[in-house]
Amino acid sequence: MAKSKVVHAESFFESYMELKRELEKSATRFQRAMGISVDQYAILHHILENPGKLTSATVADSRGISRAAVSRGISQLIRRGYVLQSYQSSDRRVRPLSLTTSGEELEMTCHDLLVKSAKIMSETPLSAEGSQLTVGEANTDACVGYGTINAGSTRRVRDF
């Protein structure tokens, strides 16, 4: 009985590590196609849902990401022209975030890509052994036709 549990644990760990590798590959493909990381997309999406109401601290707290990581991500998004950070007249320490037009366009393009990826994965038939489609392959299929996004423009690139 103990040996069975050990074999099961090893199998679980191998499956977990394989899934982790596939998710990392998928995140890399997303970043190549969109020009931002998955974490930066999550920040954009959160700001789009709450324009002018969020600060870097509230984004960090609500996303479960460290404040330092969120601050770095927001700084990169500001430098690239996707996010604006304003000041409140009553308290200069509070700096609400909003998206620029190009930030909104990028968020919508990323969202469309994620919806397309989810659709591909949901339409893949599963057998008793599981599917041979990996997360990375679904992401690659969905990324076809998307290129690096710069200031809201999309250009086509070769399939990866």
Side-chain angles (χ1 to χ4, degrees):
M1 184 85 161
K3 185 172 183 165
S4 174
K5 287 182 181 179
V6 170
V7 170
H8 181 68
E10 288 175 6
S11 175
F12 171 79
F13 181 73
E14 289 171 9
S15 295
Y16 170 80
M17 292 305 292
E18 184 178 340
L19 177 61
K20 182 178 180 277
R21 283 188 297 275
E22 287 298 323
L23 290 171
E24 287 169 349
K25 285 185 214 175
S26 181
T28 299
R29 286 183 181 98
F30 178 88
Q31 186 165 354
R32 269 192 232 139
M34 296 293 106
I36 62 170
S37 70
V38 173
D39 288 338
Q40 288 172 328
Y41 166 71
I43 292 168
L44 284 178
H45 183 70
H46 202 55
I47 294 170
L48 182 70
E49 291 180 331
N50 304 282
K53 297 178 185 174
L54 300 174
T55 64
S56 59
T58 56
V59 171
D61 293 345
S62 65
R63 304 298 303 172
I65 305 170
S66 75
R67 289 183 179 196
V70 167
S71 181
R72 280 190 304 274
I74 289 172
S75 293
Q76 291 170 351
L77 293 168
I78 290 170
R79 277 194 306 273
R80 295 177 74 192
Y82 298 130
V83 172
L84 295 173
Q85 193 170 42
S86 57
Y87 293 92
Q88 289 186 344
S89 59
S90 61
D91 187 350
R92 303 271 304 157
R93 294 172 297 170
V94 178
R95 297 180 295 189
L97 302 166
S98 59
L99 298 183
T100 63
T101 302
S102 60
E104 289 178 11
E105 290 171 0
L106 176 60
E107 193 284 336
M108 288 185 279
T109 302
C110 291
H111 183 266
D112 291 347
L113 174 64
L114 294 173
V115 168
K116 188 175 176 183
S117 294
K119 186 173 189 282
I120 290 168
M121 288 190 292
S122 69
E123 292 174 350
T124 302
L126 296 176
S127 66
E129 297 83 37
S131 171
Q132 294 303 311
L133 178 71
T134 65
V135 172
E137 290 168 342
N139 189 259
T140 298
D141 291 346
C143 285
V144 171
Y146 288 95
T148 301
I149 308 298
N150 292 312
S153 65
T154 306
R155 57 170 203 247
R156 296 183 72 82
V157 294
R158 68 182 191 282
D159 298 349
F160 344 6

